[in-house]
Every structure is written in structure tokens, then in C-alpha cells.
Amino acid sequence: MLYMEQEAQETPSAKAREAGDDMTDVAVFDLESYVNVELDMKEDNRISKVGHNVSATSQALFQNEEEDQDESESDDDDDGSSTDQFKTEKSATRLQRCEHQRGVNSSLPDTFQTSHLLFYERFKAYQDYMLGDCKPSEVKAFTADYLEKVLEPSDWLAQWSTDVFDVLVEVRDVDFKNLKACVELVLPLQCDCRGCELNEDAMKSLLDATQHKVPLHELQVVYDESGDFDQTAIALEHLRFFYEHIWRLWDEEDEDDDFDYFVRCVEPRLRLYYDILEGRVPAGLVAEYQFLLKNCSQCFKQFLVVRSSLSTDSDSELDNVSMVEGLKLYDQLEMLKRKLHIIENPLLRYVLGCKGNNKQQCVQSRGIRASGIKVIHVVTVSCSNIQLQSLLSDRLQPLGSSEDTRIQFHTDPVAAVDSCHQGDVVIVLPGIYNVSSSIFLPDSISIEGFGLPDEVVIEKKNKGGSFLESTGADVTLSNIKFIQHDAIEGILCVRQGTLNMENCVLQCETTGVIVRTSAQLTMKMCDLYGSKGAGVEIYPGSVCSLVGNGIHHCKDGILIKDFADELDVMPSITMENNVIHNNEGYGVIVVKPNTGEHYRVPLDRSEEGPAEPTSSSNSADIQPESVENNNNTDRGVASTSSRKLQLSRQLSRNKEWSCSRAVQDMVDRQIFVSLQGNQFRRNNKGDFGTFFY
């Protein structure tokens, strides 16, 4: 018997997932409510569960009509009558109507609303129904096979939508192999044009030129309340979304065709699309991704033109020139594809990141005031007489002793910084200040808290860019606690110039401090924690000095980036007397390209050679490979060896050989100017590591 329940009850979505392959979900709608019926397809043909509150669109997609047909044929008379009753109630559509925007006059009928599908609905459709485990070269065949099973073959109305026009057509036949539909114009003409005027004769001529065949992904099914075209509308939505947001022109050209296309390409691109849609990707990274996509498409088209012009049996000079040009385009294409892959892959997106769109995230420097005066900006909501007297005696009088100095009072630290010119000072009195926008530091100014960091708190709660963006030539931060909530970018980004930070507390949300190429950071006596990425990200070509800091409870403590296209410009890092502890990954990790020159892991510990004695029971040394050849008396070589020996004394005795080799690699690349006095405790994966990409 088929059991249907009319009362609205909540059923956790997990139940629907637990049903697995043995269950088929079907949603039934009337004008006011819907009934969700779950049919158990086990051998005894009995009903096992009834559920509510499952996405209507997913039900329209995932129901298996062939199994329903087999079920109805094998049921007894009672079950057959129940199935007939179900099919009768199934007549209503399960999809919403997509109405035209208000104020827009259109002669076209409404279509189905299918653009608001959830991530898991698209994921399930592509994985289980449309693509499966196909290779890139098999995508079109698998897609055609999927559409042939779910699409109505003929006699349905659709809206043919292009960049120039929308016109109503009737589908007479479907060419599944070529993913096209044979259509006829619906008369009288119903058409909306953009930037041009098209009449009936023009549209007929256009259809004649295309042999009345149009791409399926350009069709949108006209809304129909019967429910007969729900699956057709959903299938076309998946096809349209796939070719607009997932498929790339160069996918089928991949030389390594023997891989699962869904795993390598579809899933990461689909996740990236929804991460961008839900605001989890920084705006600068989104802009860079779109820029790379555009350039890669143009480069690929140019490459195809050059390749098609080559003759296989010609040795002419023109062909030789075209061959060289084609090779250059191929190398450029591979570089662009590699950068796109880095952004699409969630792990690589974290460990490598991108430079983003600096032009959008930087504010123009204001320079020195035309009047030549300097201003001390005092930020406070209210203060006591004692605080004011202390402020006057300790800071205002020493700073404002000259006649060309003025004092301004603010209640908002962002407004105070936005009023600054080069050489100004911002003093923040104790209190908790909530801000809603990023703080940009384009000029050489000083921002200091008048008290302990836990007393002077600046808190940012809304989504947006980095909490602090520094591009000034000489910026100073001190004695302030910064708290970040609900963020998608790091708490502090030093894009260019120099930032000196002392005695600050950074409570992170996503990434911690980022030091970009050519920027310089000096961070002393600060406490940084809570980053879901790295506590400190250091880019090639930057200068970073970390002295006396605590970096803890992050994904990784310090992440050093070594890109293949940065011409081997390594960062210059000083690490002294820091405590790096309780991080989920490594204390210090280097990200570098996979060149195939990895160190070989020895078969036993004896292959490593003798360790040099140390002065601490908690440290052991590795023998630097260059020391045995260090007979040169040149002072620079001696200095390098000294730094290597200092670095080698940072290793713990109980760390594995791979950790030693990671540090040895850092020594050989001369990343560290100084590395001494640091403590590494309870980092989950180890003190030092290397990530190859």
C-alpha cells in the first residue's frame, strides 16, 4: 500500500540521504501544500518511510521513472490502484514560475524557475546522472545519454535566449548527439530584442541559416502547470549551468585524458562557484579569477588558429614561424591553466593564495598637508578627568609642543585614520570600538593605544576585505587588540611599504598577517591566534622580522611561499625568540613547486650521518651539506655557514628525518637571515614542513 501523509512534519535531510540507492524521492504538490512520498524499492516492494521537506527540484530530478514503471507492473491490484491514485495527484508542477521583472513589458510567457538550485542538488546531478566517472573526451557522449533519458523528445514550447534576443519557439525534435533542438517559430511572433529590432522575416531567415537547429543550453522551457515538463526544465538547467560555469574550451584538449573529469574539474569548479556566490572568496581573488579565465580563453582561441594554419608536410619558413608562435602560445596557455587550477582547488587556494586586485584594495596616499601642520587624532567616546590629565602629560604635550601641531577628537577609529595625512598620530583611548569597514593605511602615520592591548579593542564584525590594509612607507601600530569576526580575508595585509607593529593582539578569523612581495613587516611582542589559515603568510621578495611573538592555535604557524614564476626571489626572514605552539598543521611550512627534485628518504637513520653536538638537551642538529666544502675563507661564506648552524639548532631530537630535510632546504635557499631562540611546542604535524604543488 502507498501511504501519504497530508500534515506538515519536519524530516531531517539526513534521512533522505540514508535511504541511499534503495529509495526514490517523489514530491507531490497541490495548491496549498505538498506531500513527500518515499518509495522503498526493495524486493518485498513494501513502503518503509515517509518524509517531508525535501527540495522539490531535487525530487523532480532524482526520481527514477524506470524503477517506478517496474514497481507498478509488479504490484498487486491494491498497489496498482494506489499507484494510479498517486499518478493522478502528480499532475501539478513542483517548480516555481519565473516571472518577468516588474516594470518590464514582455510579450513572452513565463518560464520555469530553475536557477536557484543548491550546491548538493547540482553536485548529485552531475556525479550520479549526467557525468559519472567519464573522461574529458567522453563528456559530450555522457551528457547526450543523460538528456535522452529525461528530456521530452518533441512538442514543447521554449524560450530561445541569446545575448541579443529572446523568442518563443516550439521544439519539434531533439538531436541528442549534437546537443541541439530542431525548432519552429511560434506565430504570431513573440520576441524581446536588446539593442536591435527583429521582425518575423528576420527570425525565419536566422532559423533557415541554422537549419532550424539551436543549442539546447540556450532554451528555457515555458512554464506549464501540468508537471509534464519539470524534468525537461531541470535537465536543461543543469546543461546550461554546466556549459556556462563548469566547462572550459580547453578541457577536451587535455593531453592527460585518462582521469575522472568530475573529480578533477567539475567538483572544484562547482565549489568555487558557490563559495563566490556565498561571499567566501575575497573580491580581489574573484576579480583575478575572472581576468585569468578571459585571458585563457583568448589565448586558447589564438592557439587553435595558429595550429590550424600549420601544414603537416611542409617545411616552409612561414610554417616554422607559426610553429614557434604556437609553442609560445602553448606555454602561455599552460601557465594560465595552472593559475586557474590553483584558484579552483580549495587546498591550493589556501596554501598559495593570489595577489588579488591591488588597484581596488589600495587607497591613494594623501601626503603632507598643504599647510604643513601635523594633527594628533584622539579617539574616544568618553574619558575621565584622570585619563585626560594622563593623556596630556604623557602624550599630547610631548607630541604637540610645536606651534604647527593641532589636536582633533574622534569617536570612530576609521574616521580618525581617514582624516590622517603623512606624519599624523592617532591615539586610541581605552574602550571597545566596533567598526564596519576596512582600515586603510596609505600614509606614514602612527596608531597607538593609550593603555594595554586588552583595554584598547577595535572589533570588525561584517564581511569584506582585510581588517587592516597597509601601503604606507612607514606605518606604526602599537598597544591595540584587533578582533575579527565573520571575515573572508586576513586580519592584516602589508601590500607595500613598511609596517612596524609592537605589543598588539590579533584575534583572527580567516588568514592572519599577509606580507606581500616587496613589502616589509616588523612584528615584535605580539600575540596572534585563531587563524583558520596561516598565522603569518610571507610572499617571495618580502622582508619579515618576527621577534618575541606568540603564534598559536592557527591552521599553520608561518607559511612561506616559493612560487615558480617569481624568478627565485626568496623572502628575507628574521625569527628570534618566538613561541609557535598548538597549531593544527606545521609550525613553519614552505610552499614550493614540485620540480621532482625531492630529497630521498633514507632507509635507516644511519644514512643521515653523525649529528653535531649541541648545547641544549631539547635540540639536535642536522649537518648542512655545504659545511664539508666550506674551506673558503671568504667572510660571506663563513657568515652563511654560521646562519645555517644557528638554524640547525632549532630542531627537536624527536622529529622525523623529513622535518630535518625541510629545514635543510630552508637553509640551502637562505630564506632566514637569523633564526634563534624560537620555541616550537605541540604543533600537530611538526615544527617544519614543505608542501609541494
Side-chain angles (χ1 to χ4, degrees), residues 176-456:
F176 294 104
K177 183 178 180 180
N178 296 308
L179 303 182
K180 290 187 176 183
C182 183
V183 301
E184 291 288 345
L185 200 63
V186 174
L187 300 177
L189 179 67
Q190 300 181 51
C191 179
D192 290 344
C193 301
R194 290 175 286 276
C196 65
E197 292 186 4
L198 294 174
N199 55 28
E200 182 178 323
D201 292 336
M203 290 304 304
K204 286 183 177 179
S205 299
L206 178 61
L207 285 175
D208 290 339
T210 61
Q211 298 181 346
H212 288 252
K213 291 185 177 182
V214 300
L216 279 171
H217 66 268
E218 294 182 359
L219 297 180
Q220 299 183 53
V221 182
V222 171
Y223 183 78
D224 186 285
E225 295 182 351
S226 67
D228 295 336
F229 303 104
D230 285 13
Q231 290 195 53
T232 299
I234 287 291
L236 290 182
E237 168 62 24
H238 287 306
L239 181 70
R240 179 167 48 253
F241 183 91
F242 175 77
Y243 279 102
E244 287 183 2
H245 303 289
I246 305 297
W247 178 255
R248 307 284 183 253
L249 295 174
W250 50 88
D251 283 350
E252 202 168 10
E253 296 282 330
D254 199 317
E255 295 179 356
D256 182 18
D257 187 57
D258 192 19
F259 63 86
D260 191 328
Y261 180 71
F262 178 85
V263 174
R264 178 179 291 191
C265 298
V266 177
E267 181 178 357
R269 291 171 185 172
L270 185 62
R271 290 188 183 278
L272 176 62
Y273 174 85
Y274 277 91
D275 285 344
I276 294 174
L277 187 67
E278 296 169 9
R280 292 195 292 266
V281 180
L285 190 58
V286 175
E288 182 174 358
Y289 182 69
Q290 294 172 346
F291 177 77
L292 289 172
L293 269 179
K294 181 180 179 181
N295 285 355
C296 198
S297 297
Q298 293 175 350
C299 182
F300 181 71
K301 291 177 182 177
Q302 294 174 4
F303 174 75
L304 291 181
V305 171
V306 173
R307 188 177 65 177
S308 62
S309 66
L310 293 175
S311 177
T312 57
D313 56 352
S314 174
D315 294 330
S316 66
E317 183 178 351
L318 182 60
D319 276 353
N320 292 336
V321 173
S322 298
M323 179 68 73
V324 173
E325 183 182 357
L327 290 174
K328 290 181 179 179
L329 287 172
Y330 179 81
D331 291 340
Q332 182 182 355
L333 180 64
E334 289 301 310
M335 181 191 68
L336 292 171
K337 288 164 61 177
R338 186 163 175 256
K339 290 183 177 180
L340 286 171
H341 177 65
I342 288 173
I343 300 178
E344 291 168 352
N345 186 291
L347 176 60
L348 296 180
R349 188 161 71 238
Y350 156 64
V351 297
L352 296 178
C354 287
K355 296 179 180 179
N357 193 337
N358 292 354
K359 293 181 180 179
Q360 293 183 357
Q361 302 183 35
C362 294
V363 176
Q364 187 68 31
S365 173
R366 303 177 186 88
I368 301 175
R369 285 185 178 83
S371 60
I373 66 172
K374 295 184 178 180
V375 177
I376 302 174
H377 303 267
V378 179
V379 181
T380 182
V381 177
S382 63
C383 64
S384 63
N385 290 333
I386 297 176
Q387 283 180 325
L388 186 57
Q389 290 175 0
S390 178
L391 177 65
L392 284 169
S393 60
D394 294 346
R395 299 301 296 148
L396 296 183
Q397 289 181 356
L399 292 173
S401 57
S402 60
E403 295 182 358
D404 59 349
T405 302
R406 301 290 185 269
I407 300 175
Q408 291 183 4
F409 286 86
H410 306 265
T411 58
D412 181 15
V414 177
V417 172
D418 289 345
S419 302
C420 285
H421 286 251
Q422 184 174 325
D424 287 1
V425 177
V426 179
I427 301 176
V428 186
L429 269 61
I432 300 177
Y433 303 89
N434 293 312
V435 300
S436 58
S437 60
S438 299
I439 299 176
F440 295 96
L441 307 172
D443 292 286
S444 299
I445 64 173
S446 175
I447 305 175
E448 58 182 74
F450 189 68
L452 298 174
D454 287 338
E455 297 173 345
V456 184

